[in-house]
Amino acid sequence: MDTVTLSNSNVFDYLNHPSPQTLGRSPLEWLEKLHKPTVVRVAGRDRSRTRAMATLLHGNEPSGLFALHRWLFEQHTPEVNMLFLLGGIYPAKIPPALSLRQLPEGRDLNRCFKEPFAGEEGAIAEAMLEELRKAEPECLLDIHNTSGTGPSFAVTITNDAAHQALTSLYTDRLIMTDLRLGALMEYSEQEVPTVTIECGGSQDEQAHQLAYEGLVRYASRPDVLSLQKADWDVAVLRNPIRVELAPEASIEYRLEPSGQADITLPPDIEHRNFGVVSPDEPLGWIGKRGLGVLSAISHNRTENMERVFRIKDGKIYPAQAIKAFMITTNPIIAKSDCLFYAVKATGDPIF
Ligand SMILES: [Zn+2]
């Protein structure tokens, strides 16, 4: 075995170039055999360089695990060394497998990549960072799924050619945020280009396929950090606001308002993801309590809602042309997380 520090060997299991037998025939069979967060290493043609990929930080986001299982099973030889970090094995294994984002009493692992690294998730995050420091990868991807269905996109804290090139291996939309939450993508601050990839919905076959095809490109290209002429044009959306619903407010997804809810959105509003909504297109209906049930958050600051939405005849219109994304039609997520994110139609921040 390679040398590993004692603390990390307590956190991780290590697999070097696992055989098809070790992997099992399906990702679920493999998951059954995994007992801890796991580091997988595969040597490349060029052994002087390494690329890293994390996935399953959220236990209910399987596209990255499915892609990795398939890629390993096919026994590819990558262009450079590959380092894979499977973070959320514990929540992923709780039956029914791949249904829990995090442990019932645990923390969101992708908020733990900052001091003080408290608790079990903090220890996993710190050990992942230690693996990255040792491996000195030339870049890092973190593969996720969105909660609803919807198109793929990438998220970064740095928007430059390298980050756009990494994005273009998977998708043509890049969200740039100045928010710091303790997410793994903040590893970009260590001068290692780092991008989060949201492959699409966790139940979408298309998302699993994208995760696999992206991994094949990531592992097989000699250079993944320069923009190639054949790559997609990447649209950059900067510093979106989060549109949140007040905790006590009610929401319905209906073709017409019942009159009972504080906000009503059409059931097919997910189709608006990443499309431009102009100021004369209604997004939904507002109840008797008006816009007070919504808030617009940018950089952890509450902003003036009047600059985002207008109300006319009980309908909600954007105050200017916007692009909305991560729109959910799940009322539980709408209340516990947010309704959607939005930028100006140009991709610039609203505030
Ligand atoms: Zn996630």
Side-chain angles (χ1 to χ4, degrees), residues 28 31-32 34 59-60 88-104:
L28 284 172
L31 184 60
E32 270 174 36
L34 300 175
N60 59 348
I89 299 293
Y90 297 127
K93 283 180 74 76
I94 292 180
L98 301 169
S99 63
L100 284 185
R101 180 180 176 93
Q102 63 210 58
L103 291 174

Side-chain angles (χ1 to χ4, degrees), residues 250-252 257-264 287-288:
S250 57
I251 182 164
E252 285 182 340
S258 68
Q260 306 300 311
D262 293 311
I263 180 166
T264 306
K288 297 184 192 76

Side-chain angles (χ1 to χ4, degrees), residues 57-61 101 108 110 142-146 196 198:
L57 294 196
H58 295 137
N60 59 348
E61 299 177 9
R101 180 180 176 93
D108 182 334
N110 207 22
D142 183 18
I143 309 296
H144 289 252
N145 290 102
T146 49
T196 298
E198 298 279 355

Side-chain angles (χ1 to χ4, degrees), residues 118-325:
E120 186 167 51
E121 289 80 10
I124 295 168
E126 189 176 24
M128 286 176 69
L129 293 175
E130 182 58 29
E131 289 298 324
L132 290 168
R133 268 190 293 272
K134 278 190 298 180
E136 297 180 9
E138 59 186 21
C139 47
L140 167 63
L141 297 179
D142 183 18
I143 309 296
H144 289 252
N145 290 102
T146 49
S147 46
T149 59
S152 59
F153 58 92
V155 192
T156 180
I157 63 166
T158 313
N159 172 28
D160 60 16
H163 288 79
Q164 289 193 21
L166 287 172
T167 298
S168 71
L169 296 169
Y170 288 79
T171 184
D172 58 0
R173 297 178 197 89
L174 178 60
I175 293 156
M176 212 277 306
T177 176
D178 289 329
L179 263 186
R180 299 292 181 272
L181 300 168
L184 179 56
M185 69 178 172
E186 292 158 29
Y187 202 68
S188 196
E189 287 171 345
Q190 310 302 314
E191 309 299 320
V192 176
T194 302
V195 170
T196 298
I197 305 288
E198 298 279 355
C199 294
S202 54
Q203 312 294 325
D204 294 352
E205 193 51 49
Q206 237 176 295
H208 309 330
Q209 184 65 22
L210 176 68
Y212 170 76
E213 288 170 5
L215 171 54
V216 169
R217 288 188 278 266
Y218 186 51
S220 64
R221 289 195 183 172
D223 174 13
V224 291
L225 295 174
S226 321
L227 278 168
Q228 318 281 318
K229 54 185 176 310
D231 288 331
W232 294 289
D233 270 339
V234 175
V236 181
L237 314 179
R238 295 189 305 117
N239 282 327
I241 53 160
R242 275 166 69 89
V243 177
E244 295 183 0
L245 187 62
E248 72 287 358
S250 57
I251 182 164
E252 285 182 340
Y253 294 92
R254 296 169 59 98
L255 289 171
E256 274 179 35
S258 68
Q260 306 300 311
D262 293 311
I263 180 166
T264 306
L265 297 174
D268 63 351
I269 188 148
E270 279 180 323
H271 296 159
R272 293 275 196 185
N273 265 315
F274 290 105
V276 172
V277 187
S278 68
D280 54 1
E281 288 178 275
L283 277 164
W285 297 265
I286 200 82
K288 297 184 192 76
R289 296 162 72 192
L291 275 182
V293 299
L294 296 178
S295 44
I297 315 290
S298 72
H299 295 79
N300 287 338
R301 251 195 345 254
T302 304
E303 302 283 359
N304 182 356
M305 208 61 212
E306 316 291 316
R307 282 178 58 194
V308 185
F309 296 123
R310 305 176 291 118
I311 304 299
K312 205 179 137 201
D313 301 330
K315 291 183 180 167
I316 309 164
Y317 295 85
Q320 58 186 312
I322 61 168
K323 247 182 211 173
F325 54 94

